[in-house]
Amino acid sequence: MINLFYIAALVAIIATVLAITRHHAVHALLYLIVSLLAVALVFFTLGAPFVAALEVIIYAGAILVLFLFVMMMLNLGQDAKEQEREWQPLRIWIGPALLSCILLALIIHAIMGEGSASVVTEEVGPKAVGSLLFGPYMIAAELGAFLLMAGVVGASHLRRREFQSEITGKEES
Amino acid sequence: MSAVPINHVLILAAILFSVGLTGVLARRNIIFMLVSVEVMLNAAGLAFVAAGARWQQADGQVMFLFILTMASAEVAVGLALILHLHWRRLSLDSDTLNKMKG
């Protein structure tokens, strides 16, 4: 189990680095799906099978597929890839990477200073999560429903005017 | 049962978070910025689940559910904004967003 964790962690890091450095958006999304599946495996080794399933179903299955559908609607071709290569010369990565490395070194220093405790991977199953979510966290679950509703209304409002103009344009012609 | 050291899980979360942060800072294409924000949210969720597993409580997994909800709402609005920007200006450059008025 512990070897599984380290292999999944390595795959997650490599796939994430590849995902943010690709020039083609679809390649980046496919690498991101690999990264999310590896993180789901990490969740499984930590004894959280419910969250691992949600990561596969919702993150990799719904959110990333939404991204891919938008890519298809945007219809980016070869010239988008060329423009991306023009926008991202290698020297542009130096500053952000340096800042992130300093931040990472500080965080790792803080984490290692705490002393090591092991996660005893006893499973915390979906039953415990559900009774906690609809017990003490009931208000937060309802606020999450509000947030999703606001997201749906906001997204449809942003696209409304163009759909109306498309429909009226077709009726006129 | 085997035991994964909690430090290593938190370091994995920190590495994923800083990779996402690098992406947000360095990329100019707005789609890649949204993808990097997703990576950062996922790393934060990993830290929550690790902390929940350390103390054998389900609270960490509940917090991950809330992060998941927020990420999906954010992606819906963000992708609608990207489509809007692409159809209006035929560009995915985040610098053109400073001309957005109303």
Side-chain angles (χ1 to χ4, degrees):
Chain A
M1 200 69 126
I2 193 158
N3 289 331
L4 203 62
F5 168 76
Y6 288 113
I7 295 168
L10 198 65
V11 170
I13 292 169
I14 292 171
T16 311
V17 170
L18 284 173
I20 67 156
T21 51
R22 292 303 92 185
H23 290 298
H24 200 292
V26 176
H27 296 174
L29 288 179
L30 292 177
Y31 276 121
L32 188 62
I33 289 178
V34 173
S35 158
L36 291 178
L37 292 179
V39 173
L41 201 56
V42 170
F43 286 153
F44 192 74
T45 58
L46 287 178
F50 180 56
V51 164
L54 278 183
E55 175 99 0
V56 174
I57 294 169
I58 297 183
Y59 249 119
I63 296 181
L64 267 294
V65 169
L66 193 66
F67 264 107
L68 280 174
F69 275 128
V70 170
M71 289 305 120
M72 282 191 238
M73 283 178 76
L74 291 181
N75 201 11
L76 302 172
Q78 191 67 34
D79 48 340
K81 201 175 160 186
E82 297 299 323
Q83 190 183 32
E84 193 67 28
R85 194 159 285 155
E86 198 178 294
W87 277 353
Q88 299 290 144
L90 213 55
R91 63 185 158 74
I92 237 172
W93 290 98
I94 297 173
L98 202 65
L99 287 177
S100 299
C101 281
I102 294 171
L103 188 63
L104 181 64
L106 284 177
I107 295 175
I108 287 179
H109 181 73
I111 290 171
M112 293 313 274
E114 283 297 310
S116 185
S118 294
V119 178
V120 183
T121 47
E122 290 288 329
E123 248 184 44
V124 179
K127 199 171 172 183
V129 178
S131 63
L132 202 61
L133 180 64
F134 291 106
Y137 286 102
M138 189 67 204
I139 302 268
E142 286 176 356
L143 284 177
F146 281 1
L147 184 67
L148 282 177
M149 194 69 217
V152 169
V153 172
S156 73
H157 175 76
L158 277 171
R159 303 290 301 149
R160 185 181 49 116
R161 205 177 303 158
E162 280 150 40
F163 278 128
Q164 275 179 352
S165 66
E166 274 173 31
I167 291 166
T168 52
K170 274 174 192 166
E171 280 172 354
E172 281 165 11
S173 66
Chain B
M1 290 295 273
S2 64
V4 182
I6 182 88
N7 289 354
H8 295 182
V9 189
L10 289 178
I11 286 172
L12 171 66
I15 290 172
L16 288 180
F17 189 87
S18 23
V19 169
L21 183 65
T22 314
V24 172
L25 289 174
R27 293 309 290 240
R28 203 168 153 193
N29 191 327
I30 195 163
I31 293 174
F32 284 95
M33 291 173 76
L34 206 54
V35 165
S36 307
V37 169
E38 288 303 306
V39 172
M40 288 165 74
L41 285 175
N42 198 34
L46 176 59
F48 267 119
V49 172
R54 164 71 180 79
W55 280 283
Q56 293 293 303
Q57 298 290 324
D59 297 69
Q61 300 188 38
V62 174
M63 283 300 159
F64 183 82
L65 278 180
F66 293 144
I67 290 181
L68 202 66
T69 313
M70 195 200 65
S72 47
E74 173 240 328
V75 160
V77 177
L79 285 176
L81 275 174
I82 286 175
L83 279 176
H84 198 74
L85 186 74
H86 186 254
W87 285 33
R88 288 283 283 275
R89 303 200 185 282
L90 286 176
S91 166
L92 291 173
D93 189 353
S94 57
D95 287 351
T96 58
L97 277 176
N98 65 358
K99 297 190 184 67
M100 196 166 75
K101 287 185 186 121

